[in-house]
Amino acid sequence: AQRRLGSAFNHPTPRTVELAEKMVELIPCADWAAFGRNGSDVTTYAIQAAREKTQRRKIVVARGAYHGSHPWCTPGHGGLIEEDKRQILSFTWNDATELEDLVAKHQGDVAGVMLTPHHHPAFAEQELPGPSFWSDVRRICDEHGIVLICDDIRDGFRLHMNGSGEYFGFVPDMMCFCTAIANGYSVSAIVGKDELKAAASKVFFTGTYYTAAADLAAAIATIDELQEVGAIDQMMKMGKLLCEGLTKRGEAHGLQVKLTGPPTIPFLTFANERDFRRNQLFSKECARRGVLFHPHHNWFLMYAHKEADIGQALDVADEAFGVVEREFGG
C-alpha cells in the first residue's frame, strides 16, 4: 500500500515517525530513533554519536567481533590506511577485567564500548555472556562516563521483542538493529537514551534511501506480525528442536558435534577440528540435498520454519554426517 503512494522521497514520510514511535515504545533504552539501510550505517553512526557526546576518540570492541564494512570496523584489508583503525581498541569477549584494564590504560579517552549481545564471530564457536559480564560492562561504562552501545544487528527481534538486552539482562545507552527488523527489506535502526539525543543530532547522518517509505512500512508490518503471532517463542521452539536433533544424530555417527549460541541463532562446529574441513564437507553434502547450513557463520531460525522443515533438515543432516564419518572418522 505504501509503495503505491511512493517510496523514494527526499524527505521523511509519516512511516519514519510511526516506526520511530514503535521502536521507542518497545526498547527500554529508546527515547529517540533514526533509520539507515545497512547495519554498518547505524553502528558507524553510533560511534560518532558517542564521540560527540563524550568528546573522546577511542572505541572498544570485542576481539573478532563483526560490526560492519566501514573502514573503522571492516575485517577486510584492501583500501585501508593505518589511521582507519588507530582509535579502535579490542579485548577478549567475556573478560571484564581485561576491559577494565584497557579503559584504565586509556583513561579519559574512551568514548564508547560496542558489543554484540552474545559473541558470534565468523569461523568460530559462539559464546554466551558469563553470569556477571554484562553487569560488569555496564558498571565500567558508568564509572568512566563511557557510552555503552549494543550491536543488536543479528540478535535483535530473534531473542526478545524488547531487544536482546532484555534477554541477557542489561540496558545499553544505544542499540543498533537490522536483519530481522523488516523481513528482508533494507532497513536498519538505531535507538538511544535522551541524554544522547543532542549529540546524535549533531552527527550528519543521511543516505539516498534512508527515508524509503515502503521499506519502513515493511518494518512496521514485520514488528506487528512478530508480536501478534508470538514469533520468537515459535523460533525458539524450532531452534531447540533443530539443535537437539543435530547433536543426537551427529553423536550417533560418532562425531564430536557442538552447537553454540541461542536456539534461534545456532551454529554447529566439530569439537575436534579447527580448520573447518568437516564443517565444509557437512555443509556441502547438506546443500546437495536441498538444505543450507552455513559452514562459517551462525544460522538464523525464522517463523516460517515449521516442524516438517526441521524434520527434513535433520534427515538431510543425518546423511551428511554419514559422509563426514566416512571421510574423517569420528
Side-chain angles (χ1 to χ4, degrees), residues 76-200:
H77 304 286
L80 301 176
I81 57 175
E82 182 183 350
E83 286 79 5
D84 288 331
K85 297 188 178 184
R86 179 170 291 170
Q87 305 301 335
I88 306 301
L89 311 172
S90 63
F91 75 106
T92 305
W93 168 265
N94 253 338
D95 191 337
T97 300
E98 185 180 345
L99 171 62
E100 194 156 26
D101 291 344
L102 191 62
V103 168
K105 180 180 179 180
H106 298 276
Q107 181 67 38
D109 201 19
V110 177
V113 171
M114 178 177 287
L115 297 169
T116 54
H118 82 282
H119 197 42
H120 46 65
F123 293 94
E125 296 171 359
Q126 301 186 91
E127 189 174 354
L128 298 178
S132 66
F133 177 66
W134 273 114
S135 60
D136 287 340
V137 171
R138 181 71 272 182
R139 173 186 57 79
I140 292 166
C141 289
D142 289 342
E143 288 178 355
H144 295 272
I146 296 167
V147 178
L148 176 55
I149 307 162
C150 176
D151 175 353
D152 211 6
I153 300 297
R154 293 191 205 174
D155 286 0
F157 300 116
R158 301 184 195 276
L159 302 179
H160 200 288
M161 283 307 302
N162 303 112
S164 300
E166 291 295 288
Y167 184 83
F168 288 114
F170 70 97
V171 178
D173 300 312
M174 287 189 285
M175 296 190 80
C176 303
F177 299 88
C178 188
T179 61
I181 195 172
N183 200 35
Y185 283 79
S186 181
V187 178
S188 59
I190 181 171
V191 300
K193 293 181 177 178
D194 188 62
E195 54 262 36
L196 287 158
K197 187 175 181 180

Side-chain angles (χ1 to χ4, degrees), residues 16 18 132 168 208 245 306:
T16 297
E18 291 164 13
S132 66
F168 288 114
T208 305
K306 307 304 180 189

Side-chain angles (χ1 to χ4, degrees), residues 28 32 39 47 78 145 153 173 195 202 207 209 218 222 226 232 280 293 306 309 316 326:
W32 54 268
I47 69 166
I153 300 297
D173 300 312
E195 54 262 36
K202 293 179 182 178
Y209 299 108
T222 298
L226 289 170
I232 292 178
Q280 290 162 358
F293 288 112
K306 307 304 180 189
D309 303 305
V316 165
R326 291 192 293 274

